[in-house]
Amino acid sequence: MEASGAAGVEACLARWRRADDESMADAARYRLAVPWDDDTTVRPGVVRLWPGGQRGGAGSTVPLEFLFPEAPEEIDERRFAQAFAGTLHVWLREQRCAEFRARLTERQSGTLRRRNNSHGSLEQLEAGDQTEENWRDFLRRPPLEDEPPKAVALVMNPKIRAMRVLVCRVALPPASAEHVGRLAFRHIFDDDPHSSADGGCGGGLMTCLYVLIAVFLAVLVLSFGVLIRKFLKQ
């Protein structure tokens, strides 16, 4: 059974605390990139719990902050916050729809198995009950709001160019924060290592790219060494 209410918030916060020193997956950087102007895309470099975002005690949301170290120097912070909130909202709606379809398919499969195995083992019956309970828990979740979440953007260290970074802060319901967590830190937030989460492909593509670059550099160095030896023999 999934945690809900205050327990759900605390469980989500605990996972985000575990992810505090982890590197953000490449998939999250690309999926949550913010289109800016005509030819610029601003990608987040870090996502973490917003320090101080829960002053006064735990609430019903999970405060997160996204750091954009490569943001343009001249940027309208308010307009960027709105653009980021819109990007995040669209992605969350896609994830909620995908999760609904997956949960519905799981429930239908469980119902069919119970009908075909009415005299099945106790473990099979309990698994079916758990599937039904998970479905009811999902339906009890608050629906995703029609409007994007409220986000606030600000520039940290604006006078020190080397340390300047654009920060966007937003408070999300636990279910939405879990979606972001699975995208950015799948190994922490995904309870099922065999699931096809949204964040499963980006990191692999970047890893392949890094390997290809390393191989290319190695070949280049070897070729350069051969040319040097031939030159010295002349």
Side-chain angles (χ1 to χ4, degrees), residues 1-17 54 58-62 141 172-178 189:
M1 182 175 177
E2 297 178 353
S4 59
V9 174
E10 287 301 328
C12 186
L13 287 171
R15 292 188 178 191
W16 274 103
R17 293 187 187 102
Q54 281 199 312
S60 59
T61 58
V62 178
R141 287 184 190 174
L172 297 176
S176 297
E178 288 276 344
F189 284 84

Side-chain angles (χ1 to χ4, degrees), residues 136-179:
R136 286 195 290 266
D137 285 342
F138 176 76
L139 293 181
R140 283 195 289 265
R141 287 184 190 174
L144 192 66
E145 295 183 359
D146 294 333
E147 298 296 324
K150 295 185 182 299
V152 177
L154 68 154
V155 176
M156 298 179 64
N157 305 312
K159 296 182 179 180
I160 307 176
R161 186 171 184 178
M163 300 177 63
R164 182 184 182 279
V165 61
L166 178 65
V167 178
C168 210
R169 291 169 173 168
V170 62
L172 297 176
S176 297
E178 288 276 344
H179 279 305

